[in-house]
């Protein structure tokens, strides 16, 4: 820059005044190392900047230098761009392990800026009269105007620096200018809430402001001489004489003395980590140091005479206390021990802290995990409140409480002998007192950045009122959680709320000013002085009875430690305080009474499943979805968040919490017969948790996932030492299908009864083949339709806004709608098909295995109150899952049904019925099976009826054409189509469709062609025109027969490639223009274009001619002709078929009359895994993707009466298999390359269904299963053929001006690309499902979570 100035002839370098702006960033490469390399990082950064400023000072005369702090600007410019990856990668020279935090960044940047201010105010650059440097702070707290984008530090930002608009650049320019004409010390940090007005120099102050002409002296904060280190002791004396433990180790937490505590732990944030607790005054950078040894709840530095902490108090009662932290360091340092608090943590981070704490206690040899009494203090929430205004939903009181609950649940479930202090979040609003007091020296920029939602708003602002509300609700919900009694179910565990910070105020001096000596140098964290007071207050709270705890300590007043008394010697709990939680009612008893006298097992272990008594059962297991996982069983009414909790210990078929006296489940019933039963689940958690044991149900599971659950179950049973896999008798209960029904209307083919039953069969086949000595309860799928009543009754308080998430095909659909009828029929089909599967005798080939159908869900009754309203006490808070009340009834029903003979089993479920547990009788002592019930399965109907033809049935409601002929293609109904046409190759001319000899292979059966054939009618031949004739019998243009003269508007030519398409398009246009039977301008036309197979098959012979670019160009030329010449046209662009499947046909069949290598050499000749084959597969996919991108550029969207829609059903092609797992040649002609009439029918069905699916949601595979009812119907809500616009992916009107569309076609492209990716995965699932009947290996399918749980 200097050289340019010196060399430029237009500049008088010595005489001209120069204005130079230098941007610098305090965000430095060492921020990751903040806590360990503080001084070095700051020093290195300052040295670099100082060298630059020194150079300018030495070299440039007559210069005014603006120094602009662009830290915030740089951070948000990188935070969400690819540059962020570079920034992160560039931090590696610091050799740090991703330990940087918000606190690190804020403190380091402030320290850097503070050092810079000191440098400038030192006068280093003010010795000369013709040079100065002035810090301009206008970017320090930037917030660009009118920007919608990501949120970073509460600021709305652009994606990248390049995207900043001209308007925003102007705003930044004005901000810099205004800073230049503002005195030093009064310069604004502009927030750009609205566009700024440029200020003018005044007559009184006409100059650009410098430090000298601003008469500026350092602020009280920076100029204040560093305070002398005040060596003080924060010790305490213990006035307690009785410091003895209990005579024997107590077994109850309600009889726990302080001296009984052997282990101490803590969870939380920087206030528990001890940030800045030992920092000297004004040493802001040292706030990054975590003084864990001084931490109020767990620090163990020195002893009680010099350092007051809870741990040091307890060490006076038990000098052998373990777990306290000492010295400095983060949570991973060895001296942190059981202080697992993490600086900057929010409530959502506490569960992971709890998990780590448990692991540490279990693995440390100094701790007897089972026997030692533990005291754990949890304090969190300040950071949540400091950030709540950025995302009130994320930091809502409900989510805060849910995070606390998850952490406490872990401790409750896994930690024996524990007393947990849950300290309420402090009254954080009082932080404003010290921030607003100008006479108190505090780094307010740091304070604002650490806690913007508390400090950035006025006292009476909406945000401040909302903060106070959140603060109060955090505290109230904490109480409510504990007072629910959730953590008082075990004798050796409790959680006690300690409220000493609930109404805390900022400590004051004698003069009534906020006393900053209680705070670390950032005026935000606690100094050791405050830590000491917090420790005293917590200790006293622990000894105060519930209902009488102090909740408003004044930290500036002396707090004398209390002592346990002889009468009240225990740490206070609800029980030893004789305290009854407010509004707590006696929980419902969900237990049962079993009056069976004969509970003995068989005299010797039975060898037959048909002679199995309840007491013979030694192992119990379960498979299924959220109903078996136990979602929400124990949730409080209206606690919708708790629906995520899996109460597996209460689950009807597998839970083992408590005993039958309190909890009715199938295992608890069986344990009355056999106390050694194993396999049941307890507590809460996911399927992978140890306490889930053999409950392998997964929330959201569909039938397609059931085989995976079976495999996991078998692995567990084989490997667990508690189970003798070959000898023990097992009961396995299977319930699945609700999620399939909830999604049935979205894809009736995928969720068809045939597919549902095949998945059940696969799962049962695995059990049958691998599990000896097992009785499988197959529970029929639940009839979900009665649950609609819950959401239709306005008097019932159910979360209607969740119906679409819970069960979109049942709960929100209109009464009497087609979707509802479909689900009703599917439910019966599911039930009937599973019954037929069991009654086939398939699982009765071994003496030690059977499957018994339990049909009680066939008819479900909704429980009603006396006034006729639904009784939601039987349901969980989402009104969809079952509460413990219903689960108990379900357990009783299942048990009774298991004892009933086959053929006499209960086929209804009434939750309100008075169900008593039945008993085995001397005459019927066994669990009921088909054989011991003397039941004969009814004969099965023959399944292989000959198929007469490949027609389809279509029973759509009466379809009326548009009131007038539509002028917009986006409002085109099937009834409006008057003309059909097609372009393509031999797959469109239908070569070989009915070939029975080699001579027939050259015949084009155009009348059977999938996209243009019109032979017969839909009932006998499924083609697109035959479907359309159901809507408009006057349809014209379709082909019939095999002769060219009856080809109609089928312009396809056998052997054609993409470069022939423009010729076919011109011929088609001329044919239409010359036809006297159509109105060329007025009639709506449907044209289907399908080409590319021959290009791919010969790609390797001429890669240039058949390149992706040329393929797309030829398609574009063809579409350009149609777009230019044809009025009122809807064009189907069918994606090229995925050709790789042809290799399977060539490899596994021998009946092809023409070698495949002749027909398609480039796909069928290369060796498997060869580079040539991989290249061709990539080209295949590129043909699909790039043709789709071309069609969706908006090139064909400028006319209201024309569109091109990509139909992707061939994107992922599944080769159909026969019963032997070989390619099913009934779909292929004699050359194994072209399609038979059956194949054409499947293509027609897939094309028609694609046309009725929204763009972005189209099925991208073809399901080759014969079903005459696979055709979809237009709906009243969506009566039109789908285009990008009426799918919601474009603007509602076409752009004006050719070639420059204004509509966001990126949305269409994005949706389509997503379709490619999702379709690939989804078809992987379908393909593997077809193959797994014949192969052991199976790729893992994508997770399908259909209940939003």
């Amino acid at each position: 820059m200097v050289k340019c100035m010196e060399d430029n002839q237009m500049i008088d370098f010595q005489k001209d005044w120069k204005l130079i702006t230098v941007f610098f960033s305090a965000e430095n490469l060492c921020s990751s190392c903040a806590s360990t390399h503080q001084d070095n990082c700051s020093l290195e950064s300052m040295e670099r900047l100082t060298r630059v400023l020194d150079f300018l000072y030495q070299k440039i005369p007559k210069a005014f230098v603006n120094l602009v702090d662009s830290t915030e600007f740089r951070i948000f410019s990188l935070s969400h761009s690819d540059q962020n990856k570079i920034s992160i990668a560039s931090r590696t020279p610091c050799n740090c392990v991703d330990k940087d935090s918000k606190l690190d960044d804020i403190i380091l940047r402030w320290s850097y800026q503070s050092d810079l201010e000191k440098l400038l105010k030192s006068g280093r650059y003010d010795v000369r009269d013709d040079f100065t440097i002035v810090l301009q702070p206008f970017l320090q707290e930037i917030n660009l105007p009118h920007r919608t984008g990501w949120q970073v530090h509460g600021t709305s930002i652009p994606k990248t620096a390049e995207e900043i608009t001209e308007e925003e650049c102007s705003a930044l320019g004005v901000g810099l200018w205004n800073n230049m004409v503002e005195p030093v010390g009064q310069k604004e940090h502009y927030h750009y809430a609205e566009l700024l007005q440029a200020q003018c120099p005044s007559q009184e102050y006409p100059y650009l402001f410098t430090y000298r002409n601003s008469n500026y002296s350092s602020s009280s904060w920076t100029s204040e001489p560093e305070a002398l280190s005040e060596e003080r002791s924060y010790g305490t004396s213990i006035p307690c004489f009785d410091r003895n433990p209990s005579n024997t180790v107590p077994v109850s937490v309600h009889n726990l003395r302080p001296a009984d505590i052997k282990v101490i732990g803590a969870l939380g944030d920087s206030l528990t980590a001890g940030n800045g607790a030992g920092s000297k005054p004004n040493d802001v950078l040292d706030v990054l140091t975590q003084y864990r040894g001084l931490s109020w709840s767990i620090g163990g530095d020195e002893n009680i005479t010099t350092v007051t902490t809870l741990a040091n108090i307890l060490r006076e009662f038990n000098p052998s206390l373990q777990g306290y932290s000492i010295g400095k360091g983060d949570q991973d340092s060895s001296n942190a021990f059981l202080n697992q608090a993490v600086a900057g943590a929010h409530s959502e981070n506490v569960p992971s802290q709890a998990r780590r704490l448990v692991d540490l206690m279990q693995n440390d040899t100094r701790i007897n995990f089972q026997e030692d009494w533990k005291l754990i203090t949890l304090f969190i929430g300040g950071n949540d409140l400091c950030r709540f205004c950025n995302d009130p939903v994320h930091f809502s009181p409900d989510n805060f409480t849910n995070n606390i609950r998850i952490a406490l649940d872990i401790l409750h479930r896994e930690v024996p002998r524990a007393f947990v202090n849950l300290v309420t979040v402090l009254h954080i609003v009082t932080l404003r007192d010290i921030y607003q007091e100008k006479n108190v020296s505090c780094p307010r920029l740091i304070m604002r950045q650490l806690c913007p939602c508390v400090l950035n708003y006025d006292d009476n602002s909406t945000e401040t009122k909302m903060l106070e509300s959140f603060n109060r609700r955090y505290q109230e919900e904490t109480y409510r959680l504990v007072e629910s009694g959730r953590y008082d179910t075990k004798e050796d565990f409790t959680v006690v709320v300690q409220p000493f910070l609930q109404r805390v105020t900022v400590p004051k001096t004698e003069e009534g000013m906020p006393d900053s000596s209680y705070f670390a140098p950032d005026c935000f964290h606690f100094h050791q002085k405050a830590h000491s007071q917090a420790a005293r207050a917590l200790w006293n709270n622990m000894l105060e009875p519930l209902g009488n705890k102090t909740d408003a300590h004044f930290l500036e007043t002396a707090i004398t430690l209390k002592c346990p008394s002889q009468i009240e010697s225990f740490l206070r709990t609800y029980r030893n305080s004789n305290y009854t939680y407010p509004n707590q009612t006696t929980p419902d008893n969900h237990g049962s009474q079993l009056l069976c006298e004969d509970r003995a097992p068989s005299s010797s272990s039975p060898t037959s499943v048909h002679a199995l008594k309840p007491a013979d059962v030694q192992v119990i297991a379960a498979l299924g979805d959220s109903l078996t996982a136990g979602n929400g069983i124990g949730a409080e009414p209206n606690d919708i968040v708790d629906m995520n909790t899996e109460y597996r210990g209460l689950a009807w078929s597998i839970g083992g919490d408590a005993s039958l006296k309190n909890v009715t489940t199938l295992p608890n019933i069986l344990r009355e017969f056999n106390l050694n039963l194993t396999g049941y689940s307890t507590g809460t958690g996911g399927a992978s948790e140890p306490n889930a044991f053999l409950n392998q149900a997964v929330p959201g599971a569909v039938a397609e996932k059931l085989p995976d659950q079976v495999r996991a179950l078998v692995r567990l049973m084989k490997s667990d030492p508690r189970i003798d896999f070959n000898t023990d008798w097992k009961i396995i209960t299977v319930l699945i299908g609700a999620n399939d029904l909830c999604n049935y209307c979205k894809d009736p083919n995928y969720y068809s009864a045939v597919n549902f039953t095949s998945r059940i069969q696969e799962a049962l086949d695995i059990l049958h083949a691998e599990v000896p000595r097992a009785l499988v309860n197959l529970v029929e799928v639940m009839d979900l339709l009665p649950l609609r009543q819950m959401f239709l009754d306005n008097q019932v308080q159910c979360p209607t806004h969740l119906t679409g998430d819970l069960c979109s095909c049942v709960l929100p659909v209109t009464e009497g709608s087609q979707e509802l009828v479909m689900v009703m029929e599917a439910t019966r089909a599911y039930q009937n098909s599973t019954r037929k599967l069991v009654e086939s005798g398939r699982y009765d080939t071994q003496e030690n295995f059977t499957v018994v159908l339990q049909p009680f869900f066939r008819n479900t009754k909704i429980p009603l109150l006396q006034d006729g309203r639904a009784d939601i006490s039987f349901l969980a808070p989402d009104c969809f899952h079952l509460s413990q009340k219903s689960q108990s009834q379900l357990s009783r029903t299942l048990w009774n049904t298991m004892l009933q003979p086959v053929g006499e089993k209960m086929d209804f479920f009434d939750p309100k019925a008075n169900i008593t547990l039945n008993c085995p009788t001397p005459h019927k002592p066994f669990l009921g099976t088909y054989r011991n019930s003397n039941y004969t399965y009814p004969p099965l109907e023959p399944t292989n009826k000959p198929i007469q033809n490949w027609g389809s049935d279509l029973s759509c409601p009466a379809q009326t054409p548009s009131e007038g002929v539509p002028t917009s293609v986006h409002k085109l109904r099937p009834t409006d189509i008057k003309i059909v046409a097609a372009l393509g190759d031999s797959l469109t001319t239908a070569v070989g469709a009915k070939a029975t000899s080699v001579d027939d292979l050259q015949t084009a059966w155009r009348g059977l062609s999938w996209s243009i054939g019109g032979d017969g009618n839909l009932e006998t031949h499924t083609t697109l025109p035959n479907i359309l004739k159901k809507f408009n019998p006057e349809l014209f243009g379709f082909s019939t027969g095999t002769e060219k003269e009856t080809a109609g508007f089928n312009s396809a030519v056998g052997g054609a490639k993409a470069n022939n398409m423009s010729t076919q398009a011109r011929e088609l246009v001329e044919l239409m223009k010359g036809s006297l039977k159509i109105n060329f301008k007025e009639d709506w036309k449907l044209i289907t274009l399908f080409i590319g197979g021959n290009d791919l098959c010969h790609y390797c012979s001429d890669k240039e001619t058949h390149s992706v670019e040329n393929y797309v160009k030829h398609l574009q030329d063809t579409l350009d002709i149609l777009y230019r010449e044809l009025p009122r046209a809807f064009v189907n662009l069918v994606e090229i078929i995925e050709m790789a499947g042809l290799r399977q046909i060539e490899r596994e069949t021998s009946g092809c009359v023409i070698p495949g290598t002749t027909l398609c050499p480039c796909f069928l000749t290369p060796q498997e895994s060869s580079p040539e084959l991989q290249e061709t597969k990539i080209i295949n996919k590129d043909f699909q993707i790039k043709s789709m991108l071309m069609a969706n550029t908006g090139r064909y969207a400028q006319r209201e009466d024309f569109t091109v829609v990509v139909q992707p059903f061939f994107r992922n092609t599944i080769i159909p298999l026969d019963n032997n797992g070989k390619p099913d040649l009934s779909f292929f002609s004699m050359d194994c390359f072209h399609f038979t009439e059956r194949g054409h029918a499947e293509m027609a069905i897939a094309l028609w269904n694609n046309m009725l699916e929204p763009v972005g949601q189209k099925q991208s595979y073809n399901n080759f299963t014969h079903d005459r009812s696979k055709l979809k119907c237009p709906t009243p809500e969506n009566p039109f053929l789908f285009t990008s616009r009426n799918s919601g992916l474009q603007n509602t009107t076409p752009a004006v001006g050719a070639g420059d569309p204004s509509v966001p076609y990126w949305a269409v492209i994005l949706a389509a690309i997503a379709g490619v990716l999702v379709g690939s995965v989804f078809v992987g699932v379908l393909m593997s499902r077809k193959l797994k009947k014949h192969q052991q290996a199976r790729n893992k399918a994508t997770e399908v979570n259909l209940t939003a749980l």
Side-chain angles (χ1 to χ4, degrees), residues 722-779:
R722 291 166 286 185
I723 298 171
D724 186 328
F725 184 69
N726 291 310
T727 304
D728 288 348
W729 278 100
K730 311 160 193 76
I731 285 184
I732 304 168
T733 302
V734 180
L735 172 62
I736 200 77
N739 293 313
D740 299 75
L741 290 173
C742 285
N743 289 273
Y744 183 83
C745 63
K746 299 175 183 176
D747 193 341
N749 297 329
Y750 182 72
Y751 296 108
S752 68
V754 173
N755 285 340
F756 174 78
T757 311
S758 69
R759 293 155 186 164
I760 300 291
Q761 177 178 316
E762 182 185 352
L764 295 178
D765 283 355
I766 298 171
L767 294 175
H768 186 228
E770 298 191 33
V771 182
R773 296 199 166 189
L775 185 150
V776 179
N777 289 318
L778 179 59
V779 181

Side-chain angles (χ1 to χ4, degrees), residues 654-691:
I654 186 68
D657 276 358
S659 66
L660 186 61
K661 181 179 179 181
N662 309 105
V663 177
T664 303
T665 63
L666 181 60
N668 282 353
I669 296 171
L670 286 169
R671 283 159 73 187
E672 295 293 309
F673 292 85
N674 177 10
L675 287 173
N676 296 318
L677 183 77
T678 191
Y680 52 84
S681 51
T682 58
T684 61
S688 59
E689 296 284 345
N691 56 297

Side-chain angles (χ1 to χ4, degrees), residues 1086-1286:
L1086 177 68
I1087 300 112
T1088 301
L1089 169 58
F1090 179 55
I1091 197 69
N1094 293 311
D1095 298 77
L1096 281 173
C1097 283
H1098 297 87
Y1099 166 77
C1100 58
S1101 62
D1102 189 342
K1103 295 183 180 180
E1104 177 62 29
T1105 298
H1106 303 303
S1107 67
V1108 176
E1109 291 73 20
N1110 281 337
Y1111 173 76
V1112 174
K1113 181 181 183 302
H1114 295 316
L1115 285 183
Q1116 182 174 301
D1117 291 344
T1118 304
L1119 294 174
D1120 285 352
I1121 294 170
L1122 300 179
Y1123 183 64
R1124 189 168 57 247
E1125 301 288 344
L1126 291 184
R1128 297 194 171 181
F1130 184 112
V1131 178
N1132 287 320
L1133 178 59
V1134 178
E1135 281 187 3
I1136 179 62
I1137 193 170
E1138 188 178 41
M1139 303 283 283
L1142 294 175
R1143 294 176 59 83
Q1144 185 180 359
I1145 302 175
E1146 177 75 9
R1147 183 174 63 248
E1148 298 183 12
T1149 58
S1150 57
C1152 305
V1153 298
I1154 299 177
T1157 52
T1158 302
L1159 291 169
C1160 196
C1162 296
F1163 254 110
L1164 301 181
T1165 302
Q1167 295 296 312
E1168 201 67 41
S1169 302
S1170 65
E1172 294 82 6
L1173 179 60
Q1174 298 309 311
E1175 180 186 6
T1176 310
K1177 287 181 177 180
I1178 292 171
I1179 294 299
N1180 193 161
K1181 189 60 69 177
D1182 283 350
F1183 271 28
Q1184 295 176 334
I1185 293 176
K1186 294 190 177 180
S1187 61
M1188 173 266 296
L1189 292 174
M1190 177 273 294
N1192 286 312
T1193 57
R1195 185 182 186 90
Y1196 306 111
Q1198 309 309 307
R1199 280 172 41 195
E1200 190 68 21
D1201 71 338
F1202 188 96
T1203 195
V1204 177
V1205 179
V1206 176
Q1207 310 297 3
F1209 66 89
F1210 265 142
R1211 183 177 296 161
N1212 304 281
T1213 306
I1214 305 169
I1215 297 299
L1217 306 178
D1218 61 20
N1219 292 332
N1220 298 314
K1222 301 291 185 181
D1224 190 341
L1225 295 183
S1226 68
F1227 290 90
F1228 300 96
S1229 190
M1230 298 181 68
D1231 59 3
C1232 298
F1233 184 81
H1234 293 89
F1235 287 111
T1236 60
E1237 182 185 355
R1238 183 180 185 183
H1240 278 273
E1242 290 296 329
M1243 292 168 68
I1245 293 169
L1247 173 59
W1248 168 256
N1249 287 347
N1250 259 185
M1251 291 165 62
L1252 296 183
E1253 294 164 341
V1255 176
Q1257 301 177 41
K1258 294 180 181 290
Q1259 182 170 297
S1260 59
Y1261 63 92
N1262 197 1
N1263 184 10
F1264 290 98
T1265 56
H1266 178 63
D1267 187 343
R1268 293 182 64 94
S1269 60
K1270 288 200 295 186
L1271 292 171
K1272 294 185 176 182
C1273 292
T1275 65
E1277 295 79 16
N1278 297 298
F1280 310 123
L1281 301 181
F1282 273 103
T1283 66
S1284 292
R1285 191 194 301 176
N1286 65 30

Side-chain angles (χ1 to χ4, degrees), residues 689-973:
E689 296 284 345
N691 56 297
F693 205 178
L694 302 186
N695 181 349
Q696 288 303 297
V698 177
V702 290
E704 199 267 337
K705 288 294 181 182
L706 194 60
D708 289 340
Q709 292 186 27
V710 169
R711 294 185 184 97
L713 174 64
V714 173
R715 283 196 301 271
L716 283 171
M717 290 194 294
K718 286 182 177 179
S719 61
D720 197 283
R722 291 166 286 185
I723 298 171
D724 186 328
F725 184 69
N726 291 310
T727 304
D728 288 348
W729 278 100
K730 311 160 193 76
I731 285 184
I732 304 168
T733 302
V734 180
L735 172 62
I736 200 77
N739 293 313
D740 299 75
L741 290 173
C742 285
N743 289 273
Y744 183 83
C745 63
K746 299 175 183 176
D747 193 341
N749 297 329
Y750 182 72
Y751 296 108
S752 68
V754 173
N755 285 340
F756 174 78
T757 311
S758 69
R759 293 155 186 164
I760 300 291
Q761 177 178 316
E762 182 185 352
L764 295 178
D765 283 355
I766 298 171
L767 294 175
H768 186 228
E770 298 191 33
V771 182
R773 296 199 166 189
L775 185 150
V776 179
N777 289 318
L778 179 59
V779 181
E780 275 190 3
V781 65
M782 182 180 182
D783 183 359
L784 300 175
L785 296 181
L787 290 174
R788 287 170 49 81
Q789 184 175 342
M790 298 291 179
F791 296 90
L792 295 176
D793 188 344
N794 293 330
Q795 294 181 304
V796 177
Q797 299 299 313
C798 283
T800 54
H801 62 287
L802 295 178
T803 54
D805 296 319
L806 291 169
C807 195
S808 58
C809 292
V810 175
L811 300 181
V813 298
T814 307
E815 194 68 32
S817 65
Q818 180 186 355
E819 289 91 344
L820 207 57
V821 173
M822 289 169 63
V823 173
M824 188 183 306
E825 293 175 348
T827 302
R828 296 306 173 214
Y830 279 21
Q831 294 172 342
N832 290 335
S833 60
T834 51
R835 176 178 54 79
K836 291 177 181 178
L837 174 63
V838 172
E839 292 182 346
S840 69
R842 184 182 186 93
Y843 305 111
D844 292 308
T845 61
Q846 299 167 192
E847 193 64 26
N848 69 355
F849 186 96
T850 195
V851 177
V852 180
L853 191 71
Q854 311 295 3
F856 53 85
F857 265 147
R858 190 172 300 170
N859 300 286
T860 307
K861 187 175 181 181
I862 288 296
L864 301 177
L865 298 169
Q866 290 183 348
D867 60 5
R869 290 181 297 118
D871 186 349
I872 60 174
S873 69
F874 284 89
L875 296 173
D878 64 356
C879 291
F880 184 70
H881 291 81
L882 303 182
S883 69
Q884 188 176 358
K885 199 172 180 179
S886 276
Q887 290 260 342
S888 301
Q889 290 287 72
L890 203 55
S891 306
R892 299 179 184 108
T893 303
L894 172 60
W895 166 256
N896 287 349
T897 310
M898 289 169 62
L899 294 179
Q900 293 166 348
V902 175
E904 302 176 27
K905 291 185 179 289
M906 185 187 310
D907 64 356
F908 66 90
F909 175 55
D910 182 0
K912 290 204 77 171
N914 183 17
I915 306 174
T916 57
L917 295 178
N918 293 341
C919 295
T921 67
H923 301 293
K924 295 180 178 178
F926 308 127
L927 300 177
T929 67
Y930 83 99
R931 188 189 299 175
N932 64 32
S933 302
N934 296 318
Y935 181 77
T936 303
Y937 291 138
L940 295 177
E941 298 176 4
T943 56
N944 297 320
K945 295 180 180 178
I947 298 173
Q948 302 298 321
N949 57 62
W950 303 112
S952 295
D953 300 321
L954 184 64
S955 56
C956 298
Q959 299 288 318
T960 56
S962 304
E963 292 181 0
V965 177
T967 57
S968 172
V969 72
H970 310 293
K971 295 184 179 180
L972 190 65
R973 302 169 187 257

